[in-house]
Amino acid sequence: MPPVDPQLAGLGDQARALQPRTVALRRALHRHPELGLDLPRTRDAVLAELADLPLQIHLGRTVSSVVAVLEGHRPGATVLLRGDMDALPLREDTSVPFRSEIDGAMHACGHDTHVAMLASAARLLARRREQLAGRVLLMFQPGEEGFHGARYMIDEGLLGKSGPAGTPESAYALHISATLPSGELHTRPGPIMAAADVVRVTVTGRGGHASAPHDALDPVPAAAAMVGALQTMLTRRVDTHQPAVLTVAHITAGTTNNIIPETAFLEGTLRTMSEPVRALIHEEIHRVCRHTALAYDCIAEVQISSGYPVTINDADEAERVDDLGSRVLGRRRVVSMPNPIMGAEDFAYVLRRVPGALAFLGACPRGVDPNSAAPNHSNRVVFDEAAMASGVAMYAGLALDALR
């Protein structure tokens, strides 16, 4: 057996001892989820949980962010730990006793667990300040679910030399997953999550009576043809070794059965793993939609809204996460991901500026097959709260290891 690392000794036991507190905060947040960039109740809950700790607190000026700085006993570098705070706009359909009390809002992506794990890690680290050569920057972030919350915080100076803790030398985030075995840690070097863009196409023809389509210019067949043409474009214009997904998920046209509408509307998502492929597909979407519309004597207006960039783990920092996970959780609980996933994350903005890594923490409910578990973003998703102790230990361990 490898020798016990005194820096990390007892970390798992201390994280488990904090579990009642971690669970209590998580459940309080789960009952009262908030959406987007303005999370006043969530922010106040975080502040209350951190109030008795020796932290320097900084509140966001434009968003409901909380930044807390823990100074070690010796000078050194800065390590950033991120926990996102916002929920999703859907109605919860689970039987947990602490289910959402807010109709139309639910912590279906597990951000409530992220906040609770990071807050307990702050408490654990505060007890070990004498082991820290440097400082820990705790980033409690709103607006991860499509609102670019990390970018707002960066624009406010989070990562700058004159920021709350100077420029971090490394940055880490955990993301819980209901479809991975509970307590397992999954990560990889390089791209780990995709860039995400929104595609909107308005097809304009000429309306008329449904019984006389020859007197109109029907945009519906043109829109339908575009869906197939876009999929063909992916297989014929994009290298098969370059991951790319284009899904048209929303189609709207017409008002009743006997009217040919003037317009049809398509909306979908584009996911890519490299900037060159992303740029190529943007060009191809414009070309395919424009020319398909012309084939039906219609006009296509294409709008592509760029979302989060590719989330790219620094190779050395991903190795640190892997190695630390082996020492803290056990080698068998650390899994190297063979492929990235096509979901998106705005921690990507941090990793573009600071070398670091994101990892997934499994939390599949006990007795449930991970392959059939309700996934993140489902109205039925349930997380195994026991996994949060592993997350607390990992957050704290990453800071302790980096700030020896």
Side-chain angles (χ1 to χ4, degrees):
M1 293 180 63
V4 176
D5 186 339
Q7 192 86 350
L8 306 176
L11 206 57
D13 290 339
Q14 291 172 16
R16 284 186 287 274
L18 287 170
Q19 183 72 346
R21 191 163 197 144
T22 308
V23 169
L25 177 58
R26 184 261 165 149
R27 293 185 176 187
L29 296 175
H30 194 90
R31 286 190 178 98
H32 298 98
E34 296 177 296
L35 308 177
L37 297 167
D38 186 24
L39 317 176
R41 184 166 185 154
T42 304
R43 177 196 58 207
D44 291 347
V46 170
L47 292 174
E49 182 63 22
L50 302 179
D52 64 326
L53 300 180
L55 302 170
Q56 302 167 21
I57 301 294
H58 305 264
L59 301 183
R61 298 187 302 274
T62 59
V63 296
S64 294
S65 61
V66 178
V67 174
V69 181
L70 176 67
E71 288 284 350
H73 278 199
R74 287 165 288 141
T78 296
V79 170
L80 182 150
L81 304 177
R82 194 286 304 262
D84 40 359
M85 304 190 293
D86 56 322
L88 283 161
L90 75 165
R91 184 176 183 177
E92 183 165 0
D93 191 13
T94 73
S95 59
V96 298
F98 52 89
R99 59 185 172 273
S100 173
E101 298 175 11
I102 308 300
D103 189 32
M106 177 190 177
H107 270 295
C109 202
H111 295 183
D112 51 341
T113 70
H114 301 171
V115 174
M117 290 188 296
L118 187 56
S120 286
R123 187 168 299 277
L124 199 162
L125 288 167
R127 297 172 182 173
R128 292 181 172 229
R129 289 178 67 194
E130 72 283 352
Q131 294 179 235
L132 298 174
R135 65 204 59 79
V136 183
L137 179 64
L138 303 161
M139 176 186 178
F140 293 91
Q141 177 213 311
E144 191 282 324
E145 295 291 353
F147 291 89
H148 303 267
R151 192 177 67 191
Y152 279 92
M153 294 182 72
I154 292 170
D155 289 345
E156 288 190 2
L158 175 71
L159 305 180
K161 291 182 179 179
S162 59
T167 301
E169 292 194 4
S170 55
Y172 307 99
L174 297 178
H175 201 302
I176 205 158
S177 172
T179 56
L180 296 177
S182 186
E184 285 192 359
L185 190 76
H186 291 229
T187 193
R188 72 188 307 273
I192 187 170
M193 297 186 76
D197 301 323
V198 178
V199 179
R200 298 180 178 91
V201 183
T202 300
V203 185
T204 302
R206 185 173 67 244
H209 201 290
S211 67
H214 59 283
D215 290 331
L217 295 176
D218 193 345
V220 174
M226 283 177 195
V227 177
L230 288 169
Q231 298 307 315
T232 301
M233 175 270 292
L234 279 185
T235 66
R236 292 297 177 267
R237 296 291 293 150
V238 179
D239 187 333
T240 56
H241 298 96
Q242 295 287 345
V245 173
L246 177 57
T247 297
V248 177
H250 176 201
I251 302 177
T252 302
T255 57
T256 188
N257 71 92
N258 62 350
I259 298 174
I260 292 175
E262 183 174 284
T263 62
F265 177 74
L266 307 176
E267 186 175 33
T269 184
L270 170 66
R271 306 299 173 102
T272 51
M273 282 291 172
S274 79
E275 288 301 325
V277 170
R278 188 184 193 185
L280 168 67
I281 297 178
H282 281 207
E283 293 179 4
E284 290 297 312
I285 290 172
H286 281 275
R287 183 184 64 80
V288 167
C289 291
R290 184 173 66 252
H291 288 285
T292 301
L294 286 173
Y296 290 82
D297 209 10
C298 294
I299 298 171
E301 179 186 353
V302 180
Q303 295 180 330
I304 302 177
S305 301
S306 294
Y308 299 157
V310 182
T311 303
I312 302 175
N313 281 349
D314 178 84
D316 292 337
E317 297 300 342
E319 184 177 355
R320 181 196 293 274
V321 173
D322 185 285
D323 177 66
L324 184 87
S326 297
R327 286 183 282 152
V328 172
L329 306 180
R331 181 68 253 176
R332 288 182 296 178
R333 296 174 70 186
V334 179
V335 178
S336 179
M337 296 168 60
N339 299 302
I341 67 171
M342 301 308 284
E345 240 289 351
D346 79 343
F347 192 58
Y349 291 121
V350 175
L351 295 183
R352 291 175 96 180
R353 301 274 297 272
V354 179
L358 176 142
F360 293 98
L361 176 66
C364 181
R366 293 181 181 181
V368 177
D369 183 349
N371 293 316
S372 60
N376 292 33
H377 286 227
S378 166
N379 60 319
R380 300 181 185 275
V381 68
V382 175
F383 299 99
D384 179 18
E385 292 179 324
M388 292 195 295
S390 297
V392 172
M394 281 300 302
Y395 268 133
L398 285 165
L400 289 166
D401 192 60
L403 299 178
R404 288 177 178 274

